[in-house]
Amino acid sequence: MSKVEAFLSAQDEQQVIAAIKSAEKNTSGEIRVHIETINEIPSLQRAKEVFSFLNMDQTKEQNGVLFYVAVESKQFAIYGDRGIYQQTPKDFWESETELVLNHFQKNANAQGLILAIEKVGEKLKKLFPIKSDDSNELSDEISKGL
């Protein structure tokens, strides 16, 4: 089993996906999680690359959020699209990032992601409330490797 596959159990993955679906019920924002093995560049820079590769920059309101994890490199970042950054301070994801990293140190990977997804969902709900014509623009599934 690869380190990426071992990072979250099948049950953990389903719980993370359920958290994404729950968070997205209250916002037009879109949340994704991407897990890969190794990253050799700054995590935020890599998250931006993955964000683009996953076409997360194509949402109508530019309100996608990526949770990026490089398992072996022990890196994590949260990256949001332009629509979010135009309305928020630079350190907007700081508390969620700390929350995830603290849980990762305790090997509570899924719990850290779930709690942070819930918090991000609340923030997105305020910035981008759900609309009657909203559709799920991005997959809720966890993407792996690239």
Side-chain angles (χ1 to χ4, degrees):
M1 178 182 295
S2 76
K3 289 188 179 192
V4 169
E5 295 297 326
F7 185 73
L8 296 174
S9 71
Q11 181 180 1
D12 289 343
E13 279 193 36
Q14 291 310 306
Q15 291 174 342
V16 170
I17 292 167
I20 292 169
K21 290 177 188 268
S22 178
E24 289 182 353
K25 283 183 183 178
N26 299 309
T27 178
S28 63
E30 297 286 335
I31 300 170
R32 292 217 52 194
V33 173
H34 178 80
I35 304 170
E36 60 187 16
T37 307
I38 297 175
N39 174 39
E40 296 178 357
I41 61 176
S43 58
L44 198 55
Q45 181 181 339
R46 178 63 180 149
K48 185 176 181 179
E49 291 175 358
V50 172
F51 189 91
S52 179
F53 181 82
L54 296 174
N55 294 318
M56 293 184 68
D57 52 358
Q58 303 299 311
T59 60
K60 184 168 71 172
E61 295 186 59
Q62 297 179 320
N63 58 359
V65 177
L66 176 66
F67 283 66
Y68 169 79
V69 181
V71 178
E72 197 169 303
S73 304
K74 298 184 189 239
Q75 291 184 339
F76 175 77
I78 300 175
Y79 183 80
D81 208 350
R82 289 180 290 245
I84 297 167
Y85 284 124
Q86 289 171 349
Q87 301 183 54
T88 61
K90 189 173 184 168
D91 63 351
F92 189 63
W93 309 122
E94 191 171 308
S95 65
E96 290 80 7
T97 299
E98 296 273 331
L99 177 69
V100 170
L101 291 174
N102 286 337
H103 278 77
F104 285 2
Q105 289 176 349
K106 300 173 193 170
N107 288 327
N109 303 332
Q111 187 65 21
L113 289 170
I114 290 166
L115 291 172
I117 288 166
E118 290 170 354
K119 289 181 175 280
V120 166
E122 287 299 313
K123 286 183 172 183
L124 291 176
K125 178 180 174 181
K126 292 175 186 167
L127 295 171
F128 299 97
I130 193 81
K131 296 179 180 170
S132 60
D133 65 343
D134 185 61
S135 64
N136 192 6
E137 296 178 81
L138 300 172
S139 170
D140 297 328
E141 298 299 313
I142 296 171
S143 61
K144 297 177 184 170
L146 282 184

